[in-house]
Amino acid sequence: MEKEWFTISVYSENNVGLLNRISGIFLKRHINIESLNVSKSEIEGVSKFTIVVYTTEKWTRNIVGQIEKQIEVIKAFYHTDEETIYQESVLFKIASNLLFDERQIQNIIKDNNSQIVTVARDFFVIAKSGRRNEINEMYDQLKPFGIMQFVRTGRISVSKEEMPITALLNEFYQDK
Amino acid sequence: METVKIKTEVNPKKTKLKISGAEAIIHCLLAEGVDLLYGYPGGAIMPVYDELYKFQDKLTHILTRHEQGATHAAQGYARVSGRVGVAMATSGPGATNLVTGLADAQIDSTPMVCITGQVTRHLLGSDAFQETDIIGISTPVTKWNYQITEASEIPEIMAKAFYIARSGRPGPVLVDITKNAQIDEFEFSYEKCTAVRSYNPEPKPSVPAIEAAAELINNAKKPLIVWGQGVILGKAEEELKALVEKSGVPAAWTIMGASALDSEHPLNVGMVGMHGNYAPNMLTNECDVLIAIGMRFDDRVTGSLDTYAKQAKVIHFEIDKAEINKNVHADVAVLGNSKDTLGLLLPMINENKHEAWHNEFKEYYKIEFEQVINNDIHPTKEGLTMGEVIERINVESEQKAVIVTDVGQHQMIGCRYAKFKQSKSNITSGGLGTMGFALPAAIGAKMGAMEREVVAIIGDGGYQMTIQELGVIFQHKVPVKIVVLNNDHLGMVRQWQELFFDRRYASTVMVNPDFVKIAEGYSIEAKRVSTREDLKIAIKEMIASKEPYFLEVKVEKEDNVFPMIPSGASVSEVRLK
Ligand SMILES: Cc1ncc(C[n+]2csc(CCOP(=O)(O)OP(=O)(O)O)c2C)c(N)n1
Ligand SMILES: [Mg+2]
């Protein structure tokens, strides 16, 4: 089976130990977490983990099964890139003099639909959100000028299909 | 206020009363029906032990000689009784000594709750005396774990712990309780947990899936059932028997499924896996429909997956969704508790006999009997075999004993030849293969089924891993029967060295102490035999005894266990010698 990019979405109760449990599932199978984001979800008290892996669908299915089995996990899904809307954000810190000396940099900022968020005496900061390859391209364009600092967030994504978490949770209260 | 994420049974007699966390733990255990637990005290759990002292008329605490022993005893207790086993330990080394038992219970789906003391809350993270991160350490080997740092959390967490341990696919739960939470007082009330919002322990059976399964079974020419412990855990023994008898489908078992169906049932065709029976292993690769019930296609069962039952349609009855398609692709997956799913399946099944197909099993059995079994249980050579010891136990115990095996050659021989008439009679460490399991597990098994004969079959190697638990047998007069099959070797490893490492016997010879003297040191009646005649007499005497009894049998030093599927080979590449 071919390796692909998969985005795993996990809806869970807020729980301190869960991240450890989930990361252990990857560790045990020697599967690298390419990016990880944990945040609140659309449902109160429910967290969402967004995990990106580059592996086969067979392993992804196996991992999602093991994740979903954890007591505090409400539901876990996986999607291919085509099935999701996703983004990552990055910050570039660059020496201020370049902004004025190198006209090209202003074009890069404009062409990449990015914004300058701060200009200080010694440095300025560019923020950019987008797909992984868009960000990689911008990185490559800026690199020759010297990047003082670079940081990238984990992927965040929403699926194109509906995720029936609220219905699942409501079932629990109805059964009572 | 937080939304309620667990459901509880409403207790009409609920009274509020202010008690310490430690006392609350006792009340939680009593409310869960616990009357027996195993453990070992120490600084961080002392408030709970102080309460155990006060409640000793209601709750018996058995002091094992090592915390690992406490976990295996709790497992043995759980496995024979179907109840949740409980083990307790202090923080630090007490807690880390539980890890092997947790891992064993996790992989063999045994319901167990472990309670550990922890340093007081304000010392957490300070590398305090006997502080270890047991939550971090135990995470991969528990179904669930939780650290309580406030007394008021105790009732809800304990209720959840028991519910999670026993529901769905059972497993071990660890609850770590800081010392301040044991000491502080709070208003106690207890409600049993009946559901957890994010946890779906028993998927509801799907009727279309069961219909699809029935259709495959009804149309099969060469169907084969392989059942596992899921039948025992689901209390589906009757349903399994009815299914087998109605459908006429030959049924084989994994090591964890042993005893769910009478060993001498004509449709019971034996054990599958590495040292399983010839017929079911060979015919796994000839059946047209493979009906897996409550088993997880462990590699010791399947051998090479690339050549496992490729010709067959596979039906997988399973409670744990994550097991479906994990190792073997299921053409039909039936999720749910085995009792429910088999119950729904039964009326859809046509009566059948499959006589010609049965004869194929009989042919293979004949070969195995002539080439292996007969020599094992009726040997003509001078030295004693492990097989004949098991056979004598079958005879003297009338196949009614609970057989607890350790890990190694004696385990495989024990599971191959022990005969069972009753479910929950084969207690062994299947998934983890934990040497040292049997002695403490036998203690727990006996205490969980006092009316039953419990015979532990242990190798000379594994015996010495938890031999100190003889102290429990001595102190509490636990009438277990201990049989050490002494080959003066780590026999199973020696066998592999002989077969696969050109007889380079690295560190597998054991120079053993006088086991009889050791047992006598604990005032346990003890015998050593090395002849056929003495063996017969000693086993008779052992089974007749009402007291603990130790029997060392000097067996052949270099016997091998066959049949054998070499690791990684196909199930049809069985070696008979
Ligand atoms: C705790 C542990 N350590 C090591 C092993 C590996 N191992 C499997 S069987 C075996 C030999 C067991 O020897 P013994 O208890 O004498 O039983 P025999 O095979 O001789 O019947 C060993 C070392 C294990 N299963 N468990
Ligand atoms: Mg041995």
Side-chain angles (χ1 to χ4, degrees):
Chain A
M1 232 187 248
E2 285 273 317
K3 285 189 176 182
E4 278 181 81
W5 291 97
F6 291 101
T7 303
I8 298 173
S9 309
V10 182
Y11 286 85
S12 74
E13 305 288 3
N14 288 312
N15 177 278
V16 258
L18 190 58
L19 181 57
N20 188 15
R21 250 177 209 283
I22 290 180
S23 67
I25 290 169
F26 290 86
L27 173 68
K28 193 172 162 183
R29 291 164 180 78
H30 282 255
I31 288 174
N32 205 29
I33 294 179
E34 301 289 340
S35 114
L36 166 70
N37 184 277
V38 190
S39 71
K40 284 183 173 178
S41 73
E42 64 276 17
I43 303 151
E44 207 189 316
V46 172
S47 298
K48 187 176 172 190
F49 291 65
T50 307
I51 305 165
V52 181
V53 290
Y54 182 69
T55 184
T56 61
E57 184 166 7
K58 184 174 169 20
W59 275 116
T60 307
R61 207 184 307 121
N62 176 304
I63 286 170
V64 167
Q66 295 301 322
I67 291 175
E68 199 168 282
K69 188 165 147 171
Q70 305 308 319
I71 305 293
E72 275 94 4
V73 171
I74 298 162
K75 193 83 192 152
F77 305 85
Y78 70 91
H79 291 103
T80 59
D81 284 356
E82 292 71 50
E83 294 165 339
T84 57
I85 313 293
Y86 64 90
Q87 277 207 345
E88 291 163 21
S89 294
V90 287
L91 297 175
F92 296 93
K93 177 173 155 186
I94 294 181
S96 290
N97 57 337
L98 292 174
L99 189 57
F100 308 104
D101 302 349
E102 300 280 352
R103 297 234 22 216
Q104 180 58 14
I105 287 201
Q106 300 209 13
N107 292 335
I108 294 172
I109 295 169
K110 219 175 338 139
D111 295 348
N112 283 287
N113 271 327
S114 55
Q115 308 90 42
I116 296 176
V117 286
T118 291
V119 183
R121 182 138 53 99
D122 301 331
F123 65 87
F124 69 104
V125 176
I126 311 168
K128 156 87 187 150
S129 293
R131 297 194 151 207
R132 177 171 281 248
N133 58 333
E134 293 166 359
I135 286 166
N136 288 348
E137 271 166 31
M138 182 166 172
Y139 180 91
D140 291 341
Q141 289 164 12
L142 286 172
K143 184 127 191 272
F145 302 102
I147 299 169
M148 294 165 78
Q149 277 184 38
F150 171 74
V151 61
R152 185 200 290 255
T153 64
R155 175 184 292 194
I156 51 172
S157 95
V158 290
S159 64
K160 293 180 186 168
E161 73 168 343
E162 194 190 335
M163 296 222 199
I165 304 302
T166 311
L168 247 172
L169 293 179
N170 285 340
E171 238 171 69
F172 176 83
Y173 296 107
Q174 275 154 21
D175 285 355
K176 190 151 186 169
Chain B
M1 212 190 98
E2 235 198 335
T3 42
V4 184
K5 292 170 200 146
I6 73 169
K7 283 180 188 167
T8 53
E9 226 168 58
V10 181
N11 181 354
K13 285 190 296 187
K14 195 164 83 180
T15 48
K16 295 236 170 189
L17 102 147
K18 216 167 164 126
I19 57 173
S20 71
E23 189 181 343
I25 290 163
I26 308 291
H27 287 295
C28 296
L29 292 174
L30 293 172
E32 292 294 338
V34 177
D35 52 15
L36 180 67
L37 75 161
Y38 301 90
Y40 214 103
I45 192 78
M46 282 187 68
V48 179
Y49 273 82
D50 195 41
E51 295 300 328
L52 280 168
Y53 181 83
K54 297 176 198 159
F55 283 87
Q56 52 188 292
D57 56 327
K58 293 203 176 78
L59 196 49
T60 305
H61 175 273
I62 302 293
L63 175 70
T64 55
R65 268 42 173 180
H66 188 290
E67 290 86 353
Q68 182 186 353
T71 56
H72 296 328
Q75 288 182 276
Y77 174 86
R79 295 264 292 270
V80 291
S81 68
R83 300 166 73 185
V84 179
V86 181
M88 190 177 278
T90 190
S91 65
T96 56
N97 277 346
L98 300 176
V99 171
T100 303
L102 287 167
D104 197 287
Q106 170 86 338
I107 202 160
D108 279 348
S109 310
T110 306
M112 175 163 77
V113 170
C114 289
I115 299 166
T116 50
Q118 182 55 283
V119 300
T120 204
R121 182 177 185 148
H122 75 264
L123 289 177
L124 284 174
S126 72
D127 300 324
F129 179 64
Q130 294 191 332
E131 180 190 3
T132 41
D133 173 16
I134 195 60
I135 293 297
I137 292 170
S138 68
T139 293
V141 292
T142 49
K143 186 172 172 187
W144 186 65
N145 60 9
Y146 190 89
Q147 184 175 64
I148 294 177
T149 55
E150 266 176 50
S152 61
E153 293 178 277
I154 289 170
E156 183 183 324
I157 295 303
M158 290 292 285
K160 213 171 147 183
F162 276 86
Y163 171 70
I164 290 169
R166 78 163 86 83
S167 58
R169 179 176 179 176
V173 170
L174 181 133
V175 181
D176 192 36
I177 310 176
T178 58
K179 201 164 177 181
N180 62 296
Q182 299 170 39
I183 294 165
D184 290 347
E185 294 198 341
F186 73 111
E187 298 256 319
F188 177 78
S189 74
Y190 195 75
E191 288 165 8
K192 272 188 146 180
C193 177
T194 58
V196 174
R197 181 170 86 166
S198 52
Y199 168 54
N200 177 18
E202 282 190 17
K204 287 202 184 77
S206 135
V207 174
I210 295 172
E211 283 167 351
E215 178 164 349
L216 275 179
I217 296 169
N218 287 336
N219 291 320
K221 297 279 168 288
K222 296 178 162 197
L224 172 63
I225 290 174
V226 177
W227 86 81
Q229 194 191 200
V231 170
I232 299 172
L233 294 170
K235 304 187 182 72
E237 292 92 342
E238 284 308 313
E239 287 76 5
L240 173 72
K241 185 164 178 242
L243 171 66
V244 166
E245 289 176 354
K246 190 171 180 193
S247 66
V249 178
W253 36 278
T254 71
I255 200 167
M256 296 302 291
S259 85
L261 180 69
D262 193 321
S263 310
E264 299 200 322
H265 192 288
L267 291 158
N268 184 336
V269 294
M271 179 164 81
V272 290
M274 184 173 271
H275 292 289
N277 291 105
Y278 197 33
N281 277 329
M282 293 298 287
L283 294 174
T284 293
N285 277 357
E286 283 183 35
C287 66
D288 58 355
V289 177
L290 182 66
I291 307 151
I293 308 174
M295 56 86 84
R296 59 186 178 86
F297 296 106
D298 178 84
D299 60 286
R300 281 292 193 266
V301 162
T302 63
S304 158
L305 284 172
D306 297 335
T307 55
Y308 182 78
K310 287 293 175 203
Q311 77 297 340
K313 290 258 186 262
V314 175
I315 307 173
H316 197 174
F317 289 85
E318 177 55 55
I319 197 164
D320 177 1
K321 199 169 135 202
E323 291 297 345
I324 303 292
N325 298 331
K326 187 183 84 177
N327 295 336
V328 171
H329 172 76
D331 296 282
V332 176
V334 183
L335 286 171
N337 180 314
S338 54
K339 192 175 184 72
D340 299 343
T341 53
L342 295 186
L344 290 166
L345 175 75
L346 261 175
M348 304 178 196
I349 292 295
N350 298 340
E351 279 187 39
N352 210 329
K353 293 262 182 273
H354 294 295
E355 265 158 16
W357 174 230
H358 265 285
N359 287 335
E360 293 192 39
F361 285 84
K362 285 182 192 146
E363 288 304 314
Y364 277 115
Y365 180 78
K366 226 171 25 217
I367 299 169
E368 186 183 348
F369 185 83
E370 277 158 19
Q371 297 194 31
V372 182
I373 300 174
N374 200 27
N375 301 325
D376 275 354
I377 62 176
H378 305 122
T380 48
K381 61 182 174 187
E382 197 188 326
L384 295 179
T385 66
M386 293 183 175
E388 67 184 308
V389 179
I390 307 298
E391 180 63 11
R392 287 318 307 166
I393 294 169
N394 285 337
V395 171
E396 295 300 338
S397 68
E398 297 169 344
Q399 310 185 2
K400 288 184 192 145
V402 174
I403 303 291
V404 185
T405 46
D406 208 75
V407 172
Q409 291 183 315
H410 64 281
Q411 175 189 34
M412 293 300 128
I413 295 287
C415 293
R416 281 176 56 77
Y417 296 119
K419 297 269 196 277
F420 304 108
K421 285 195 191 315
Q422 194 181 327
S423 185
K424 299 197 177 80
S425 296
N426 183 52
I427 312 297
T428 196
S429 168
L432 202 66
T434 306
M435 285 172 71
F437 174 83
L439 187 62
I443 293 169
K446 183 71 197 177
M447 296 178 123
M450 283 307 276
E451 70 292 351
R452 299 197 63 191
E453 184 72 74
V454 174
V455 181
I457 312 284
I458 318 180
D460 48 310
Y463 185 50
Q464 294 178 76
M465 284 206 173
T466 48
I467 194 169
Q468 68 279 4
E469 303 306 339
L470 289 173
V472 176
I473 295 172
F474 173 42
Q475 184 171 347
H476 298 278
K477 308 263 173 295
V478 190
V480 290
K481 312 296 166 64
I482 307 154
V483 179
V484 167
L485 298 180
N486 185 1
N487 53 10
D488 288 318
H489 278 93
L490 298 175
M492 186 57 93
V493 179
R494 193 210 59 77
Q495 173 170 345
W496 283 47
Q497 289 170 334
E498 180 184 332
L499 300 177
F500 312 118
F501 292 86
D502 287 330
R503 298 171 194 261
R504 288 186 297 276
Y505 295 128
S507 298
T508 44
V509 177
M510 280 245 176
V511 178
N512 284 317
D514 185 332
F515 290 127
V516 168
K517 272 201 183 134
I518 291 174
E520 284 170 353
Y522 288 96
S523 295
I524 296 169
E525 185 172 359
K527 273 233 165 84
R528 176 184 303 113
V529 297
S530 51
T531 67
R532 215 146 269 145
E533 249 149 78
D534 290 349
L535 173 71
K536 225 171 146 173
I537 298 166
I539 292 203
K540 203 179 181 76
E541 184 177 290
M542 174 181 87
I543 298 294
S545 168
K546 298 271 169 275
E547 309 281 309
Y549 192 106
F550 173 82
L551 178 63
E552 176 187 353
V553 184
K554 288 287 214 180
V555 294
E556 283 276 18
K557 289 183 196 290
E558 301 198 358
D559 271 356
N560 289 332
V561 185
F562 287 111
M564 177 175 195
I565 300 166
S567 106
S570 160
V571 278
S572 49
E573 294 174 281
V574 182
R575 286 179 64 162
L576 289 172
K577 56 180 189 262

